Amino acid sequence: MSPLPLVLLLWDLLDAALGYLTVSIEPLPPVVVGDTVTLKCNFKTDGRMREIVWYRVTDGGTIKQKIFTFDAMFSTNYSHMENYRKREDLVYQSTVRLPEVRISDNGPYECHVGIYDRATREKVVLASGNIVLNVMAPPTSISVVAADTPAPFSRYQAQNFTLVCVVAGGKPAPLVYFKRDGEPIEVTPLPEPPGSGGGGSSSSPEGRAPRNLLHRDLDDTKVPKPLWAAEAEARGGRPAGTAEPPRGLAAERGPVTEAIPETVVSREFPRWVHVAEPIYYVRHAQAPVSDGTVEARATLTWTLNPQIDNEALFSCEVKHPALSMPMQAEVTLVAPKGPKITMTPTRARVGDTVRILVQGFQNEVFPEPLFTWTRVGSRLLDGSAEHDGKELVLERVPAELNGSMYRCTAQNPLGSTDTHTRLIVFENPNIPRGTEDSNGSVPGRRSFRLALALTLTVILELT
């Protein structure tokens, strides 16, 4: 007899003595946080079952946490076979239900099945199957912010501008992209952000011709004109040989200056025009979070053009396999216009503390403006040339400040606006006229003389 049939015969006899056992776990597609998941372990055997144990594997396989155990010793679900050579397959299934799965449930699981050795009836034959449960989490938040804000407005030079889209709570990392006015932006990947400096214009890459972007009506006060054109317009006519304004420019002209009771508002526009198509650079970054999710950041950088970008709608959208539809956050770039300034108290008197506050604007402003306060023609009450912040506080105002004009400059990278408000100071009946100093308080020398006179009077009366 050849060796091969002998080996097969011995293997058949050994298998008949020990029995056989196969274990497999049904595969699962990725699941979403909050779903109810059922793990199914299928096994086939012709032996007598001993136990079923489910494990959750952690720390790279070094720790196995027992999550389910079935002891067949107390169950009648087994087969007693008298003829070992007569094979009878028994098919079983063990299920484990995980309600409302969490990120922490992500990872490998194992199903271990044991049957009794048919020869000794004491030894246990083991087999196992494994599966990796992939738990996804949709992003929980998305926001768009401007980098390096608040930032000043440049009247004479173009500057770079960056939007940052922050997406948190996702697993796996989401796909982040930008749109402008509802249309996807053609971007150039950038490992590192470009320098913050900027020239009057940005060069286009090879093979990419610039195109005119005057696609929305523009206020023609934003477009600089030669002196002769301005004089001709003042006379009510157009010089001979001048061309019609470019299509897309607004026919009507808005006022450069608007009046608010007790305040005057004026706007500044850039002295340069940049109408070529901007080149957008994008950079993506991811950072793991302790809960197993990631925070994704996408930055969009381009050379800002206030003539084109003012009132432009930028949106950041996110695609993720756990989302049925994309998440979105959007912002509209707007230059500050018409600050609302309040003064308390409304009737300031000599010696009062006056607070001048910017409460808001006539429009929504993005990015965050930078506020600077100055006093027209002089320094502020504390001797400084200017003050930063939304609020200007004047401690113990003197009568000399009556009629003073205060300028609040609100600016962001898209534009600048100056608001002037006048301080009216009324007499204070509690302070005799002419007795207050520059800070609205009684001079220290006069107070000392008065106290000395009172002291001498008391001494004379006692003697």
Side-chain angles (χ1 to χ4, degrees):
M1 180 179 294
S2 62
L4 181 58
L6 180 61
V7 171
L8 293 177
L9 178 61
L10 293 176
W11 180 263
D12 185 63
L13 293 175
L14 180 62
D15 182 60
L18 298 178
Y20 79 97
L21 174 65
T22 59
V23 178
S24 64
I25 302 180
E26 294 185 8
L28 282 174
V31 298
V32 181
V33 168
D35 289 350
T36 298
V37 178
T38 301
L39 304 178
K40 298 180 181 181
C41 176
N42 300 321
F43 54 95
K44 183 186 294 185
T45 181
D46 65 348
R48 180 183 174 189
M49 190 193 319
R50 173 62 183 90
E51 65 177 2
I52 304 172
V53 183
W54 281 89
Y55 294 96
R56 180 180 169 222
V57 184
T58 59
D59 293 339
T62 58
I63 298 179
K64 293 185 179 181
Q65 177 185 1
K66 189 180 294 186
I67 61 174
F68 174 81
T69 300
F70 173 72
D71 193 337
M73 181 178 296
F74 305 100
S75 174
T76 58
N77 190 11
Y78 67 91
S79 173
H80 179 72
M81 304 180 64
E82 297 180 357
N83 186 357
Y84 293 161
R85 295 187 179 276
K86 180 181 177 182
R87 177 165 296 182
E88 179 182 350
D89 292 339
L90 301 177
V91 180
Y92 298 90
Q93 184 181 77
S94 174
T95 61
V96 173
R97 185 172 178 268
L98 304 177
E100 298 183 0
V101 294
R102 298 169 293 180
I103 290 290
S104 58
D105 295 325
N106 185 84
Y109 290 79
E110 293 182 0
C111 173
H112 291 242
V113 179
I115 64 171
Y116 284 108
D117 186 330
R118 292 168 58 176
T120 64
R121 300 289 182 173
E122 293 179 359
K123 292 183 179 180
V124 176
V125 178
L126 296 176
S128 63
N130 59 78
I131 188 177
V132 176
L133 181 63
N134 185 7
V135 181
M136 300 186 304
T140 57
S141 66
I142 177 174
S143 61
V144 180
V145 297
D148 303 325
T149 55
F153 170 68
S154 177
R155 294 176 176 85
Y156 304 100
Q157 182 178 343
Q159 55 185 340
N160 284 339
F161 184 72
T162 300
L163 287 177
V164 183
C165 181
V166 182
V167 183
K171 178 187 175 296
L175 174 64
V176 185
Y177 55 96
F178 288 92
K179 288 184 177 181
R180 174 177 175 144
D181 295 328
E183 297 295 330
I185 297 177
E186 181 182 352
V187 297
T188 301
L190 189 68
E192 295 296 333
S196 58
S201 62
S202 58
S203 60
S204 300
E206 295 182 3
R208 187 176 179 184
R211 61 181 177 86
N212 198 327
L213 280 186
L214 296 178
H215 59 281
R216 65 167 60 84
D217 289 345
L218 300 177
D219 185 351
D220 65 353
T221 59
K222 299 179 183 179
V223 182
K225 303 179 181 64
L227 182 60
W228 53 265
E231 293 175 352
E233 289 182 358
R235 293 193 298 267
R238 181 183 297 116
T242 58
E244 293 288 338
R247 181 172 300 179
L249 294 181
E252 56 182 356
R253 302 189 183 96
V256 180
T257 303
E258 57 181 302
I260 297 177
E262 290 300 325
T263 62
V264 177
V265 179
S266 60
R267 298 185 65 188
E268 287 283 351
F269 298 104
R271 303 293 193 263
W272 52 271
V273 178
H274 179 68
V275 295
E277 178 184 4
I279 302 175
Y280 295 96
Y281 298 93
V282 68
R283 184 167 62 101
H284 295 274
Q286 300 174 6
V289 185
S290 59
D291 61 359
T293 62
V294 297
E295 180 185 86
R297 287 177 176 260
T299 59
L300 183 72
T301 303
W302 75 99
T303 301
L304 190 68
N305 186 349
Q307 287 87 0
I308 301 300
D309 293 326
N310 191 31
E311 298 184 1
L313 174 65
F314 285 85
S315 61
C316 171
E317 294 193 3
V318 172
K319 288 185 178 180
H320 193 274
L323 293 173
S324 58
M325 60 185 303
M327 289 180 66
Q328 176 179 296
E330 59 185 26
V331 293
T332 301
L333 305 187
V334 180
K337 178 182 178 182
K340 300 176 182 178
I341 294 181
T342 61
M343 185 182 300
T344 55
T346 55
R347 288 178 56 88
R349 299 185 300 179
V350 174
D352 287 348
T353 296
V354 177
R355 300 178 183 272
I356 311 175
L357 174 67
V358 178
Q359 285 193 329
F361 292 87
Q362 296 176 1
N363 60 331
E364 294 293 330
V365 177
F366 181 89
E368 177 187 359
L370 176 67
F371 299 97
T372 304
W373 295 88
T374 55
R375 181 184 174 189
V376 179
S378 182
R379 289 183 170 269
L380 297 175
L381 187 58
D382 60 0
S384 60
E386 60 183 31
H387 172 76
D388 295 331
K390 296 182 65 175
E391 185 180 42
L392 175 65
V393 180
L394 306 175
E395 299 281 354
R396 300 186 300 277
V397 295
E400 287 78 6
L401 289 186
N402 182 37
S404 299
M405 289 289 291
Y406 290 87
R407 178 192 298 115
C408 175
T409 301
Q411 57 182 322
N412 67 6
L414 291 155
S416 174
T417 177
D418 287 339
T419 302
H420 296 76
T421 184
R422 187 180 300 276
L423 173 63
I424 306 299
V425 182
F426 295 90
E427 293 184 3
N428 192 336
N430 298 324
I431 300 178
R433 188 173 183 179
T435 60
E436 72 281 352
D437 60 7
S438 60
N439 290 325
S441 59
V442 178
R445 182 178 299 176
R446 188 180 299 272
S447 300
F448 174 75
R449 290 177 178 176
L450 180 60
L452 180 60
L454 292 175
T455 303
L456 292 176
T457 302
V458 172
I459 295 175
L460 292 174
E461 289 181 355
L462 291 177
T463 57

